[in-house]
Amino acid sequence: NGIIAATPASGEESKTLTDARDALKAARDSESNLRTELTGHQDDLGKDYGLDDVFRALKGRCISKDSGEYNYELCWLEKTTQKSKKGGSHTGMGNFVRMDSVTVDDDVPPDGKGLGAGLRVALRYENGQHCWNGPNRSTLVVLACAEQDEVWKITEEEKCVYRMEVGTPAVCDMNGKGKEGGARDEL
């Protein structure tokens, strides 16, 4: 035809070849990212999110309680944190490890914000920030039925070993019971 394609100078690649290499690299990177994401989803499907996976919807949501000089935060199935109101850094009180159950025998205060008596769902958070002259911080989160997610009480049972009492609708119907075995009034 009389038209000759331009040839790159010796040692240089053509723009078409460079574009093809870039497109191949982008496709391989995308495939790698998608495989990593798929593995994460498959791992997540194997995790225990409680009866009927009820805690899956809460994962990553955070609730907090103002308690004197600190603000305590529970991020469902992720971590617990203590934040000083005077500024400074946050203290990690533990990272989610597993679901558990504990037996409690507590009085329920008049406002209804308490654990009561019986078997309760618990979430264990361990391997928090190291405690000066003590262990790594840990938190046992004990759950009871409530109309909304709310941290009721935080105690330090031993040095850097915390207990949070938390109300949540997520445990109201566990074991086929309403308000932890009692009747629920609903409109």
Side-chain angles (χ1 to χ4, degrees), residues 51-65:
L51 184 66
D52 295 329
D53 280 348
V54 69
F55 289 100
R56 186 178 299 278
L58 293 175
K59 184 178 181 188
R61 284 201 216 159
C62 301
I63 56 175
S64 60
K65 173 150 180 90

Side-chain angles (χ1 to χ4, degrees), residues 142-154:
V142 185
L143 306 175
C145 178
E147 290 183 16
Q148 64 184 18
D149 295 332
E150 181 179 7
V151 177
W152 291 332
K153 183 178 177 183
I154 301 104

